[in-house]
Amino acid sequence: MFEPADNEQRKENINPEQQSSGGYSGDTDRVNGEYHYKNGYTQKIYSDAHYVPENENTVPPRYYTPPEKPAKAPKEKKPHGKWARALCMCLVCALLGGLCGAGVMAGSINGRIAAMEEKLEEQTKESLSVGQTSTTPAPVSTTTTAKPIAAIYDQACSEVVGITTEVTYTNFFGQTSSSAVSGSGFIVSADGYILTNYHVIEYAYKGNYAVTVMLHDGTRYEASIVGVEDCNDIAVLKIDASGLDPVTFGDSDKLSVGDDVYAVGNPLGELEFSMTTGRVSALDRLITTDESAEAINMFQIDAAVNSGNSGGPVYNANGEVVGIVTAKYSETGVEGLGFAIPINDAVKIAEDLINKGYVTGKAYMGVSIDERYNSMYSQYYNMPIGAFIKSVEPGSCADNAGIQSGDIITKLGDVEITGYSDLKQAIKQYSAGDTAEVELYRAGESRTITVTFDEAVPDSANP
């Protein structure tokens, strides 16, 4: 916030020469999202190319004037003899004869060219009459698969749903209260499967609360939770309905920065079926949300998203869903920073949740980590920093590889391990059946063993 009085005082402290020359420019600094005036002068970096106005020029222009050449004296005519006149007559006759011959030849050539052009014209007419291809280039097609924005919105209204969870809790005074948790989702099958974010129905999933789905026409259904994947913030619901309009999936791997996108959802939980427009701002952002401590790969958009938009679809210009609105940067004064999970990642997870009830192929080691072990403990006991093994699950891949309770894992593959979070994140880079080398510390010495990962199942709470 600027203060005019201070600004005037600063101007008074500047000598008149600086004021007249523009040395004071009212330079500003941005502090905490506001603009502030600061002391000092702004140096001009760019200036006009140097010139002197015509009305200020006092030096007469200098022009280059070539020196005058002296006039040549007329040559004296010399008398010619008879033989010269005879020679001139011969040359004139020869020249006239050549011109006549050239005229005859030119007439013959022009006749031949005219005959050839007539013959070529006849052949061209014949070729066109029998349907042969013309040499004229075909016009470039300007058709596109992009839909009008209004058509995309009309389509989205039959595909997007509102999701509400009524959460009951006990307040500070011991009274029972309830509140609604609202979000968005979209239909992925005609028989009622719906895709959304896990954090939209997290309280209902953990507290066994009812989940209500509302369609654009106002019809409400009670939904069941088919499966969740909290690490990737994905959940699948099911309502007892048929003949619904499912979305069409696009290819999120083909997204480029600058592509037009449209987000449709229920901002603030009460402005149902709102559309916001924008563009893809960046790809492959690793975003950590409040609901998950693990980073999720997302793409960035500048379409406005707010609380209640979570779980809603991001459409491309063709009306295809390419992402799931998941997060926004909520710092005060920051706008246009929304993030969405690529639909290619979400579809595979949704298929596993529908068919298996959990995400298949995830790596599982079978160890329990003591999260109290940190750098203070390692310095006190003179041991390396890492993930301290509290227990090993019997029959797991860790047990089969020889990992024991009390071991400290310091490296998994090429990743240095400094604690529980590092180990959990490193294991996510592998799939069930993959093999990796594990460096660990045991009884005062380091050793390397090989582990072939198991497959994680829903009740596998540890790495």
Side-chain angles (χ1 to χ4, degrees), residues 30 32-34 300-306 327-339:
R30 186 171 174 84
N32 295 327
E34 299 178 345
Q300 180 182 329
I301 60 176
D302 64 359
V305 295
N306 293 279
K328 68 167 292 185
Y329 194 77
S330 57
E331 186 72 19
T332 302
V334 176
E335 299 294 340
L337 293 180
F339 301 93

Side-chain angles (χ1 to χ4, degrees), residues 222-423:
E222 184 171 339
S224 59
I225 300 176
V226 175
V228 301
E229 169 63 3
D230 57 339
C231 295
N232 292 285
D233 205 4
I234 297 294
V236 176
L237 309 179
K238 178 70 169 65
I239 61 175
D240 187 11
S242 60
L244 302 177
D245 294 328
V247 301
T248 300
F249 294 121
D251 187 354
S252 57
D253 290 339
K254 294 182 178 179
L255 283 175
S256 299
V257 173
D259 287 352
D260 291 330
V261 289
Y262 311 96
V264 180
N266 306 302
L268 308 183
E270 56 186 23
L271 302 175
E272 294 90 353
F273 303 97
S274 295
M275 169 185 273
T276 55
T277 66
R279 287 184 172 85
V280 177
S281 304
L283 304 172
D284 299 323
R285 298 289 200 201
L286 290 177
I287 304 299
T288 302
T289 65
D290 294 337
E291 291 76 18
S292 175
E294 299 181 24
I296 304 174
N297 177 58
M298 303 188 198
F299 63 90
Q300 180 182 329
I301 60 176
D302 64 359
V305 295
N306 293 279
S307 176
N309 276 110
S310 293
V314 176
Y315 289 90
N316 62 15
N318 303 330
E320 302 165 335
V321 173
V322 292
I324 303 176
V325 175
T326 301
K328 68 167 292 185
Y329 194 77
S330 57
E331 186 72 19
T332 302
V334 176
E335 299 294 340
L337 293 180
F339 301 93
I341 298 174
I343 200 63
N344 289 10
D345 298 342
V347 166
K348 181 184 182 303
I349 294 172
E351 289 175 348
D352 282 345
L353 292 177
I354 292 172
N355 297 324
K356 299 285 186 177
Y358 66 96
V359 178
T360 61
K362 295 173 63 177
Y364 174 66
M365 183 178 283
V367 296
S368 177
I369 306 299
D370 191 340
E371 297 184 50
R372 298 173 299 175
Y373 184 80
N374 54 28
S375 58
M376 293 180 59
Y377 278 88
S378 68
Q379 292 176 8
Y380 184 81
Y381 292 103
N382 194 26
M383 295 189 298
I385 189 69
F388 188 90
I389 306 298
K390 182 167 61 175
S391 63
V392 178
E393 181 181 331
S396 65
C397 63
D399 185 29
N400 295 334
I403 297 177
Q404 301 175 7
S405 175
D407 289 347
I408 301 174
I409 297 178
T410 59
K411 193 173 184 180
L412 176 59
D414 297 329
V415 180
E416 300 288 340
I417 305 300
T418 61
Y420 171 79
S421 297
D422 286 346
L423 180 61

Side-chain angles (χ1 to χ4, degrees), residues 415-447:
V415 180
E416 300 288 340
I417 305 300
T418 61
Y420 171 79
S421 297
D422 286 346
L423 180 61
K424 191 171 183 179
Q425 192 68 27
I427 292 175
K428 285 181 64 177
Q429 309 307 315
Y430 296 91
S431 299
D434 289 347
T435 299
E437 289 188 346
V438 178
E439 292 186 13
L440 53 84
Y441 174 86
R442 177 191 301 168
E445 63 179 23
S446 298
R447 61 185 68 192

Side-chain angles (χ1 to χ4, degrees), residues 21-42:
S21 62
Y24 180 81
S25 63
D27 197 9
T28 60
D29 265 351
R30 186 171 174 84
V31 180
N32 295 327
E34 299 178 345
Y35 285 95
H36 295 254
Y37 275 89
K38 73 173 186 179
N39 293 324
Y41 309 102
T42 301

